[in-house]
Amino acid sequence: MKKNLSRLYLLFWLVPLVVSPFQWFSSIVQDVEIFRPIDGTGILVAKNFGTLAVFYFLLLAAMLVSEFFQKNDVLQVVIIGLQIMFSTIFFMLPRIIIGPTGLAQSGMSDVDFYLKALLLSIEPSYMIALFSLVISVFLYFTFNICLRNKSV
């Protein structure tokens, strides 16, 4: 039972893959005096950020290999570090995609407008994916690093 519960983080890590067909971002961006909509699904984000998508799948493969084969303490620390790094980059995606340019003519000087526009452009499926990554990192840290070291 405890072993199956310790693998629960893998389920949460797969949630971004499950919600990728749904819309993650929706906004109107001003680009050279032409307003164009940004309707970004998770699949479109993966196509435009191929390095991030490959990193996601390589990290998933590393987690599967470390989970179903002999556990190595150094590999687990590397995996938790890479999970945190990926989640941080994933958290910054709205800022990278939408950014301050185009949402407000004054750029970052109009912080209230920028923050409201950024929050309005983020769709619930992106938030579900982000929260599931955070939960996955927390569960991985709890079960594979903290509790494993206490039982030894």
Side-chain angles (χ1 to χ4, degrees):
M1 175 72 177
K2 184 179 177 184
K3 190 167 191 140
N4 290 335
L5 192 59
S6 71
R7 293 179 179 158
L8 186 62
Y9 74 93
L10 286 170
L11 182 67
F12 282 101
W13 192 260
L14 289 172
V15 168
L17 189 63
V18 172
V19 297
S20 64
F22 301 108
Q23 191 166 351
W24 285 11
F25 305 108
S26 175
S27 180
I28 301 292
V29 176
Q30 181 181 1
D31 184 19
V32 196
E33 301 301 322
I34 299 171
F35 285 94
R36 60 184 170 87
I38 292 178
D39 292 321
T41 63
I43 295 170
L44 185 63
V45 170
K47 285 180 183 178
N48 289 326
F49 293 91
T51 305
L52 193 63
V54 168
F55 182 51
Y56 174 79
F57 287 113
L58 288 177
L59 190 53
L60 176 63
M63 288 189 289
L64 288 171
V65 166
S66 73
E67 189 64 38
F68 294 108
F69 292 105
Q70 185 176 5
K71 297 199 181 249
N72 185 348
D73 291 338
V74 174
L75 182 62
Q76 287 182 341
V77 171
V78 168
I79 287 175
I80 190 74
L82 291 174
Q83 279 183 320
I84 291 170
M85 187 174 79
F86 178 83
S87 299
T88 303
I89 296 169
F90 194 83
F91 176 76
M92 292 186 313
L93 271 178
R95 175 73 169 87
I96 294 169
I97 293 172
I98 299 163
T101 57
L103 291 176
Q105 291 180 349
S106 58
M108 285 301 286
S109 64
D110 194 359
V111 176
D112 288 337
F113 176 78
Y114 172 70
L115 184 62
K116 288 175 188 172
L118 184 67
L119 291 176
L120 286 174
S121 67
I122 297 173
E123 298 291 330
S125 55
Y126 170 77
M127 295 306 291
I128 291 169
L130 180 64
F131 287 135
S132 70
L133 289 176
V134 171
I135 291 170
S136 177
V137 170
F138 174 75
L139 289 175
Y140 187 86
F141 180 75
T142 303
F143 284 111
N144 291 320
I145 295 180
C146 290
L147 295 180
R148 184 167 182 252
N149 290 337
K150 285 185 178 181
S151 65
V152 174

